């Protein structure tokens, strides 16, 4: 099939079947001003690839499109462990290259699977969706004045479609009001989501258009050909690209060793422990172990607020060293701009693993990532 848009031409390995491009076009050209598309389906069926294609198609008609990323282990525009709403204003020509963007709003979930805390997971996603509704979904008044600020929304979801994963999808759909639900199906029928509006008890659910499409690639027996991703490697790569931003963009870094060495050579931020609250999200740590437990970990940098229920995450940091007893400080590396950091009053600790490559800096003692810091004992 001939590529049908510039974005497809730029992604030689990506195959957009007619069914996919027709679906994306139908959503972009539907009668609703700003469609809300919920993309779901089993693991590796192509949800992310389709979502990115849809995003590009929508960006041909709209200046900006909102993207709600609910796949906390395989995040699209942020490092893993975050749930985010991002406003995208540029077509990404190559659908195979992940890129980091600063989200409009973001929560630190602190794990790569929703099963760690399904209740909080759903609360965060609902809060992100509500934020979209409040800020980016036109109400009648603004529509009437012709100053429409409404943006389409693409919601990408995890591939966990059984058990609690299924319940969470149902929970999301019940909270949201998508105009379109795109279900990607694979040939192994038992792995698919139920047909139709599976989340709703209404017999005729006319308010939403449910579209079922097949995974892009099939063999000659019409079996879906699914590409398995190395999820852990992808997460590590995403984290390393994130922390690469701590260094000047014009600095040449060709290898992981160089990246680690340069990160170790950076001056970290010195954070006074008395100025921040340290919170372990998924475990209880005795007070005496708190400093030790922070060392060489990835933390969410968050800002608490009296008006908001959940602290907003402004980015991640690596705790490079801790000097608890004598100075009461921790040393943090982060690409978050200093101006934004000034508001951070919460360090959230989850279970996002620091990539091993970053712990093995030449000349430094693992896991402290520094040659000159006495580790906390
Ligand atoms: N249309 C396509 N053309 C070529 N490769 C594809 C296509 N769709 C998916 N793939 C490949 O299959 C793999 C899985 O795709 P993708 O990440 O989009 O699936 P997913 O359903 O979002 O996965 P997960 O459930 O893990 O989040 C990736 O390596 C992707 O490049």
């Amino acid at each position: 099939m001939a590529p049908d848009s510039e974005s497809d031409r730029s992604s030689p390995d990506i195959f957009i079947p007619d069914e996919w491009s027709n679906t994306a076009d139908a959503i972009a050209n539907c009668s609703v001003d700003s469609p809300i598309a919920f993309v779901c389906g089993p693991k590796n069926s192509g949800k992310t690839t389709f979502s990115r294609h849809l995003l590009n198609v929508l960006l041909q008609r709209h200046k900006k499109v909102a993207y709600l990323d609910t796949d906390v282990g395989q995040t699209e525009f942020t490092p893993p462990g975050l749930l985010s709403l991002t406003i995208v204003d540029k077509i990404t020509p190559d659908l195979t290259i992940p890129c980091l963007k600063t989200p409009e709003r973001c929560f630190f979930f602190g794990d790569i699977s929703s099963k760690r805390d399904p209740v909080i997971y759903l609360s965060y996603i609902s809060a992100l969706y509500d934020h979209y509704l409040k800020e980016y979904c036109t109400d009648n008044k603004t529509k009437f004045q012709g100053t429409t600020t409404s943006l389409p929304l693409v919601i990408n979801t995890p591939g966990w479609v059984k058990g609690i994963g299924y319940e969470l999808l149902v929970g999301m759909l019940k909270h949201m009001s998508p105009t379109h639900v795109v279900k990607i199906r694979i040939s192994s029928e038992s792995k698919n989501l139920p047909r139709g509006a599976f989340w709703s008890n209404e017999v005729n659910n006319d308010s939403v258009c449910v579209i079922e499409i097949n995974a892009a690639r099939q063999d000659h027996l019409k079996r879906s050909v699914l590409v398995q991703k190395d999820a852990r490697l992808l997460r590590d790569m995403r984290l390393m690209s994130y922390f690469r931003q701590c260094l000047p963009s014009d600095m040449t870094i060709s290898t992981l060793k160089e990246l680690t060495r340069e990160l170790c050579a950076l001056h970290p931020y010195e954070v006074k422990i008395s100025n921040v609250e340290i919170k372990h999200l998924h475990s209880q740590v005795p007070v005496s172990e708190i400093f030790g437990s922070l060392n060489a970990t990835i933390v969410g940098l968050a800002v608490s607020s009296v008006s908001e229920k959940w602290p907003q995450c402004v980015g991640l940091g690596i705790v490079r060293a801790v000097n608890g007893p004598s100075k009461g400080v921790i040393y943090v590396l982060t690409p978050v701009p200093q101006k934004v950091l000034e508001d951070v009053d919460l360090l959230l600790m989850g279970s996002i693993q620091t990539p091993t490559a970053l712990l093995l800096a030449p000349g430094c003692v693992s896991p402290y990532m520094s040659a000159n810091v006495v580790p906390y004992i």
Side-chain angles (χ1 to χ4, degrees):
M1 194 196 75
D4 63 350
S5 73
E6 187 163 338
S7 59
D8 307 335
R9 273 200 293 281
S10 311
S11 305
D13 298 332
I14 296 295
F15 165 61
I16 304 293
D18 287 344
E19 195 182 32
W20 281 33
S21 59
N22 292 341
T23 300
D25 290 346
I27 295 172
N29 296 319
C30 73
S31 55
V32 183
D33 274 352
S34 303
I36 299 179
F38 186 97
V39 182
C40 51
K43 223 175 153 35
N44 291 319
S45 58
K47 297 177 296 297
T48 305
T49 310
F50 178 79
S51 298
R52 294 186 81 177
H53 172 68
L54 175 60
L55 192 60
N56 282 349
V57 172
L58 286 165
L59 281 167
Q60 289 164 9
R61 286 181 58 100
H62 300 262
K63 279 204 179 107
K64 293 179 180 177
V65 177
Y67 192 96
L68 176 46
D69 197 352
T70 71
D71 192 353
V72 75
Q74 303 285 317
T75 43
E76 185 61 19
F77 297 122
T78 67
L82 302 176
L83 291 164
S84 64
L85 177 75
T86 303
I87 307 301
V88 185
D89 59 4
K90 269 198 203 79
I91 288 180
T92 313
D94 189 337
L95 298 180
T96 56
I97 297 178
C99 50
L100 292 165
K101 294 187 192 296
T102 305
E104 155 77 17
R105 184 160 278 232
C106 173
F107 296 115
F108 182 73
F109 181 70
D111 200 276
I112 54 166
S113 168
S114 54
K115 76 173 165 227
R116 174 68 81 162
D117 193 335
V119 175
I120 285 286
Y121 171 82
L122 202 51
S123 306
Y124 284 168
I125 288 170
S126 302
L128 291 169
Y129 180 76
D130 293 346
H131 180 76
Y132 159 78
L133 283 188
K134 187 165 158 249
E135 300 294 329
Y136 296 103
C137 209
T138 316
D139 60 22
N140 290 334
K141 190 165 142 236
T142 49
K143 230 187 213 170
F144 179 68
Q145 290 168 339
T147 53
T148 174
T149 51
S150 196
L151 304 187
L153 173 67
V154 177
I155 303 154
N156 187 20
T157 60
W160 189 23
V161 297
K162 300 287 170 190
I164 298 169
Y166 175 79
E167 300 298 328
L168 287 170
L169 279 181
V170 170
M172 281 186 230
L173 279 158
K174 284 194 161 160
H175 182 83
M176 299 172 181
S177 319
T179 56
H180 298 79
V181 172
V182 180
K183 256 189 280 170
I184 304 189
R185 304 189 73 79
I186 57 173
S187 54
S188 175
E189 199 51 50
S190 63
K191 294 191 175 151
N192 285 325
L193 281 161
R195 297 237 177 226
F198 60 89
W199 66 96
S200 165
N201 298 328
E202 289 173 39
V203 184
N204 292 320
N205 199 332
D206 293 337
S207 60
V208 55
C209 175
V210 181
I211 307 174
E212 303 192 344
I213 57 176
N214 292 303
R217 291 202 185 275
Q218 295 183 335
D219 65 11
H220 66 287
L221 294 172
K222 295 232 170 268
R223 289 176 305 202
S224 308
V225 178
L226 304 181
V227 182
Q228 300 289 332
K229 292 176 289 189
D230 185 339
R232 180 163 184 178
L233 178 71
L234 289 173
R235 274 193 288 277
D236 279 4
M237 299 300 289
R238 188 54 66 94
L239 282 165
M240 287 187 281
S241 317
Y242 179 77
F243 287 108
R244 163 72 179 81
Q245 299 175 116
C246 295
L247 302 165
S249 54
D250 58 357
M251 181 185 268
T252 312
I253 306 263
S254 327
T255 63
L256 282 178
K257 249 188 195 161
E258 277 171 24
L259 171 65
T260 311
R261 197 178 52 227
E262 293 301 338
L263 283 176
C264 285
L266 266 185
H267 270 277
Y269 287 99
E270 193 176 296
V271 181
K272 268 209 172 318
I273 291 166
S274 55
N275 288 348
V276 289
E277 186 188 342
I278 296 167
K279 213 168 168 181
H280 285 73
L281 297 180
H282 308 302
S283 53
Q284 286 192 330
V285 175
V287 177
S288 58
E289 301 296 328
I290 283 188
F291 297 141
S293 70
L294 276 173
N295 213 356
T297 59
I298 288 177
V299 287
L301 308 172
V303 181
S304 52
S305 146
V306 269
S307 60
E308 301 278 342
K309 190 162 181 200
W310 312 108
Q312 275 189 61
C313 180
V314 295
L316 299 184
I318 297 180
V319 179
R320 217 183 85 160
V322 179
N323 191 340
S326 55
K327 271 185 93 181
V329 295
I330 54 179
Y331 299 92
V332 178
L333 285 178
T334 178
V336 176
Q338 193 171 341
K339 187 95 198 74
V340 179
L341 282 178
E342 282 164 12
D343 293 331
V344 169
D345 57 357
L346 254 180
L347 296 188
L348 302 174
M349 226 194 118
S351 40
I352 303 299
Q353 287 190 0
T354 311
T356 320
L358 291 187
L359 295 172
L360 301 171
C364 300
V365 184
S366 176
Y368 302 107
M369 292 205 51
S370 173
N372 305 315
V373 175
V374 180
Y376 170 78
I377 301 170

PDB file of all heavy atoms in Angstrom, residues 309-324:
ATOM      1  N   LYS A 309      -5.686  17.913  45.282  1.00  0.00           N
ATOM      2  CA  LYS A 309      -5.718  16.698  46.102  1.00  0.00           C
ATOM      3  C   LYS A 309      -4.381  15.948  46.036  1.00  0.00           C
ATOM      4  O   LYS A 309      -3.900  15.419  47.025  1.00  0.00           O
ATOM      5  CB  LYS A 309      -6.842  15.802  45.577  1.00  0.00           C
ATOM      6  CG  LYS A 309      -7.131  14.640  46.479  1.00  0.00           C
ATOM      7  CD  LYS A 309      -8.475  14.051  46.181  1.00  0.00           C
ATOM      8  CE  LYS A 309      -8.748  12.910  47.129  1.00  0.00           C
ATOM      9  NZ  LYS A 309      -9.785  12.023  46.620  1.00  0.00           N
ATOM     10  N   TRP A 310      -3.793  15.904  44.827  1.00  0.00           N
ATOM     11  CA  TRP A 310      -2.573  15.117  44.641  1.00  0.00           C
ATOM     12  C   TRP A 310      -1.401  16.043  44.322  1.00  0.00           C
ATOM     13  O   TRP A 310      -1.554  16.983  43.547  1.00  0.00           O
ATOM     14  CB  TRP A 310      -2.742  14.131  43.482  1.00  0.00           C
ATOM     15  CG  TRP A 310      -4.009  13.357  43.536  1.00  0.00           C
ATOM     16  CD1 TRP A 310      -5.097  13.506  42.729  1.00  0.00           C
ATOM     17  CD2 TRP A 310      -4.338  12.315  44.449  1.00  0.00           C
ATOM     18  NE1 TRP A 310      -6.075  12.627  43.072  1.00  0.00           N
ATOM     19  CE2 TRP A 310      -5.642  11.879  44.122  1.00  0.00           C
ATOM     20  CE3 TRP A 310      -3.668  11.699  45.507  1.00  0.00           C
ATOM     21  CZ2 TRP A 310      -6.282  10.869  44.817  1.00  0.00           C
ATOM     22  CZ3 TRP A 310      -4.305  10.694  46.203  1.00  0.00           C
ATOM     23  CH2 TRP A 310      -5.590  10.292  45.854  1.00  0.00           C
ATOM     24  N   PRO A 311      -0.232  15.731  44.873  1.00  0.00           N
ATOM     25  CA  PRO A 311       0.933  16.565  44.527  1.00  0.00           C
ATOM     26  C   PRO A 311       1.310  16.386  43.063  1.00  0.00           C
ATOM     27  O   PRO A 311       1.300  15.269  42.548  1.00  0.00           O
ATOM     28  CB  PRO A 311       2.043  16.024  45.437  1.00  0.00           C
ATOM     29  CG  PRO A 311       1.585  14.698  45.921  1.00  0.00           C
ATOM     30  CD  PRO A 311       0.093  14.652  45.813  1.00  0.00           C
ATOM     31  N   GLN A 312       1.621  17.496  42.426  1.00  0.00           N
ATOM     32  CA  GLN A 312       2.010  17.414  41.014  1.00  0.00           C
ATOM     33  C   GLN A 312       3.494  17.157  40.881  1.00  0.00           C
ATOM     34  O   GLN A 312       4.289  17.776  41.595  1.00  0.00           O
ATOM     35  CB  GLN A 312       1.691  18.726  40.345  1.00  0.00           C
ATOM     36  CG  GLN A 312       0.272  18.793  39.884  1.00  0.00           C
ATOM     37  CD  GLN A 312       0.092  20.020  39.033  1.00  0.00           C
ATOM     38  OE1 GLN A 312       0.728  20.160  37.995  1.00  0.00           O
ATOM     39  NE2 GLN A 312      -0.747  20.909  39.500  1.00  0.00           N
ATOM     40  N   CYS A 313       3.822  16.285  39.972  1.00  0.00           N
ATOM     41  CA  CYS A 313       5.232  15.939  39.782  1.00  0.00           C
ATOM     42  C   CYS A 313       5.816  16.832  38.696  1.00  0.00           C
ATOM     43  O   CYS A 313       5.215  17.009  37.634  1.00  0.00           O
ATOM     44  CB  CYS A 313       5.327  14.475  39.371  1.00  0.00           C
ATOM     45  SG  CYS A 313       7.000  13.935  39.104  1.00  0.00           S
ATOM     46  N   VAL A 314       6.984  17.416  38.979  1.00  0.00           N
ATOM     47  CA  VAL A 314       7.608  18.282  37.972  1.00  0.00           C
ATOM     48  C   VAL A 314       8.782  17.597  37.270  1.00  0.00           C
ATOM     49  O   VAL A 314       9.369  18.154  36.349  1.00  0.00           O
ATOM     50  CB  VAL A 314       8.081  19.627  38.582  1.00  0.00           C
ATOM     51  CG1 VAL A 314       6.896  20.432  39.069  1.00  0.00           C
ATOM     52  CG2 VAL A 314       9.090  19.400  39.703  1.00  0.00           C
ATOM     53  N   GLY A 315       9.113  16.393  37.710  1.00  0.00           N
ATOM     54  CA  GLY A 315      10.190  15.668  37.048  1.00  0.00           C
ATOM     55  C   GLY A 315      10.811  14.647  37.982  1.00  0.00           C
ATOM     56  O   GLY A 315      10.325  14.422  39.096  1.00  0.00           O
ATOM     57  N   LEU A 316      11.894  14.042  37.503  1.00  0.00           N
ATOM     58  CA  LEU A 316      12.582  13.021  38.307  1.00  0.00           C
ATOM     59  C   LEU A 316      13.969  13.507  38.692  1.00  0.00           C
ATOM     60  O   LEU A 316      14.548  14.369  38.031  1.00  0.00           O
ATOM     61  CB  LEU A 316      12.749  11.735  37.494  1.00  0.00           C
ATOM     62  CG  LEU A 316      11.487  11.031  36.998  1.00  0.00           C
ATOM     63  CD1 LEU A 316      11.866   9.728  36.297  1.00  0.00           C
ATOM     64  CD2 LEU A 316      10.530  10.754  38.150  1.00  0.00           C
ATOM     65  N   GLY A 317      14.474  12.925  39.765  1.00  0.00           N
ATOM     66  CA  GLY A 317      15.851  13.200  40.157  1.00  0.00           C
ATOM     67  C   GLY A 317      16.532  11.895  40.544  1.00  0.00           C
ATOM     68  O   GLY A 317      15.862  10.924  40.925  1.00  0.00           O
ATOM     69  N   ILE A 318      17.861  11.873  40.421  1.00  0.00           N
ATOM     70  CA  ILE A 318      18.625  10.749  40.966  1.00  0.00           C
ATOM     71  C   ILE A 318      19.273  11.247  42.245  1.00  0.00           C
ATOM     72  O   ILE A 318      19.967  12.279  42.224  1.00  0.00           O
ATOM     73  CB  ILE A 318      19.746  10.286  40.015  1.00  0.00           C
ATOM     74  CG1 ILE A 318      19.154   9.762  38.713  1.00  0.00           C
ATOM     75  CG2 ILE A 318      20.608   9.208  40.670  1.00  0.00           C
ATOM     76  CD1 ILE A 318      20.221   9.291  37.720  1.00  0.00           C
ATOM     77  N   VAL A 319      19.029  10.527  43.339  1.00  0.00           N
ATOM     78  CA  VAL A 319      19.718  10.894  44.583  1.00  0.00           C
ATOM     79  C   VAL A 319      21.135  10.340  44.469  1.00  0.00           C
ATOM     80  O   VAL A 319      21.357   9.136  44.507  1.00  0.00           O
ATOM     81  CB  VAL A 319      18.998  10.322  45.818  1.00  0.00           C
ATOM     82  CG1 VAL A 319      19.757  10.699  47.086  1.00  0.00           C
ATOM     83  CG2 VAL A 319      17.575  10.846  45.883  1.00  0.00           C
ATOM     84  N   ARG A 320      22.059  11.255  44.271  1.00  0.00           N
ATOM     85  CA  ARG A 320      23.427  10.835  43.970  1.00  0.00           C
ATOM     86  C   ARG A 320      24.196  10.486  45.229  1.00  0.00           C
ATOM     87  O   ARG A 320      25.090   9.652  45.225  1.00  0.00           O
ATOM     88  CB  ARG A 320      24.123  11.980  43.242  1.00  0.00           C
ATOM     89  CG  ARG A 320      25.031  11.508  42.179  1.00  0.00           C
ATOM     90  CD  ARG A 320      25.720  12.677  41.591  1.00  0.00           C
ATOM     91  NE  ARG A 320      26.894  13.007  42.385  1.00  0.00           N
ATOM     92  CZ  ARG A 320      27.888  13.726  41.910  1.00  0.00           C
ATOM     93  NH1 ARG A 320      27.835  14.192  40.690  1.00  0.00           N
ATOM     94  NH2 ARG A 320      28.928  13.996  42.654  1.00  0.00           N
ATOM     95  N   ALA A 321      23.874  11.136  46.294  1.00  0.00           N
ATOM     96  CA  ALA A 321      24.531  10.833  47.565  1.00  0.00           C
ATOM     97  C   ALA A 321      23.716  11.438  48.698  1.00  0.00           C
ATOM     98  O   ALA A 321      22.920  12.345  48.472  1.00  0.00           O
ATOM     99  CB  ALA A 321      25.944  11.399  47.579  1.00  0.00           C
ATOM    100  N   VAL A 322      23.926  10.894  49.883  1.00  0.00           N
ATOM    101  CA  VAL A 322      23.199  11.391  51.059  1.00  0.00           C
ATOM    102  C   VAL A 322      24.214  11.714  52.133  1.00  0.00           C
ATOM    103  O   VAL A 322      25.111  10.921  52.396  1.00  0.00           O
ATOM    104  CB  VAL A 322      22.227  10.299  51.586  1.00  0.00           C
ATOM    105  CG1 VAL A 322      21.492  10.789  52.820  1.00  0.00           C
ATOM    106  CG2 VAL A 322      21.247   9.889  50.510  1.00  0.00           C
ATOM    107  N   ASN A 323      24.070  12.876  52.708  1.00  0.00           N
ATOM    108  CA  ASN A 323      24.909  13.186  53.860  1.00  0.00           C
ATOM    109  C   ASN A 323      23.956  13.563  54.987  1.00  0.00           C
ATOM    110  O   ASN A 323      23.735  14.732  55.278  1.00  0.00           O
ATOM    111  CB  ASN A 323      25.870  14.325  53.514  1.00  0.00           C
ATOM    112  CG  ASN A 323      26.931  14.485  54.573  1.00  0.00           C
ATOM    113  OD1 ASN A 323      26.748  14.014  55.703  1.00  0.00           O
ATOM    114  ND2 ASN A 323      28.029  15.131  54.243  1.00  0.00           N
ATOM    115  N   GLY A 324      23.350  12.531  55.541  1.00  0.00           N
ATOM    116  CA  GLY A 324      22.264  12.724  56.490  1.00  0.00           C
ATOM    117  C   GLY A 324      22.685  13.262  57.835  1.00  0.00           C
ATOM    118  O   GLY A 324      22.357  14.398  58.191  1.00  0.00           O
TER     119      GLY A 324
END
